[in-house]
Amino acid sequence: MDGSKTNGPQSASSSETLEILRGRPVAERADAARNREKILGAAARLFAEKGVEAVSMDAIAAEAGVGKGTLFRRFGDKSGLAAALLDRRERELQEHILSGPPPLGPGAPAAERLAAFVAAYLDYLFAHLDLVRMSETASPGARYRIGAYRFWHRHVAILLAGARQDADADALAHLVLAAVGGELAGVLKEEYGEARARRAALELARRLSP
């Protein structure tokens, strides 16, 4: 956590840190890029038609017209495919955070930005819940090794520090993100419904950043 704590727009150093954490897509050969898009397109179609759990890697390879070896070398397993499918959506949300209009983007008070982030993240989460759950629970601690998580955590910590000068922002940021984890969101949606799950996460964010 850096020492900058502001109630308004992020400082330049904070924005630069988030830009670094976001990273850039890896450059690849044209044929490799085509295969990647074929595989991701096939996976997206099959997941939408049959559900994530019902689709095998063999079926994805057949749908994409690539060898199983190519598929496994590129993505490893279905959780790797899930992470790749989510990457584009995550980058879109990150772009809005870095340079979009307020309150999600810079220019609003920290508390308003935090509430806007949680609302936007919930939109992303519930739109892709099965994929998020798979990518986050593939192995113990998988969620915390995903590159996007470091971006979300840094962003939330910066906003909490801006909203509450006395906050242990780094620790609290993990708790905010725990409230929007895929596994918990699935349980809350099933038990209470999506609308109530959304309200609870937003209430938590507001209480932590008065």
Side-chain angles (χ1 to χ4, degrees), residues 49-132:
E49 291 170 6
K50 301 180 180 181
V52 174
E53 294 296 334
V55 178
S56 68
M57 292 290 275
D58 286 358
I60 293 169
E63 176 76 10
V66 301
K68 288 188 289 185
T70 298
L71 178 58
F72 280 98
R73 282 194 301 273
R74 187 63 188 262
F75 297 101
D77 54 21
K78 279 203 292 184
S79 66
L81 267 171
L85 284 168
L86 292 169
D87 180 70
R88 187 172 298 169
R89 303 293 174 259
E90 290 169 341
R91 288 181 182 279
E92 289 172 358
L93 180 51
Q94 291 167 359
E95 185 63 30
H96 289 310
I97 288 168
L98 288 168
S99 58
L104 182 57
E112 292 182 20
R113 292 199 70 195
L114 180 61
F117 166 73
V118 171
Y121 191 89
L122 288 168
D123 288 341
Y124 153 79
L125 174 64
F126 283 114
H128 309 286
L129 186 55
D130 287 346
L131 289 175
V132 174

Side-chain angles (χ1 to χ4, degrees), residues 7 17 26 47 49 53 65 80 103 108 110 119 160 195 202 206:
N7 288 320
T17 300
V26 177
F47 288 160
E49 291 170 6
E53 294 296 334
L160 285 169
L202 285 166
R206 293 190 182 102

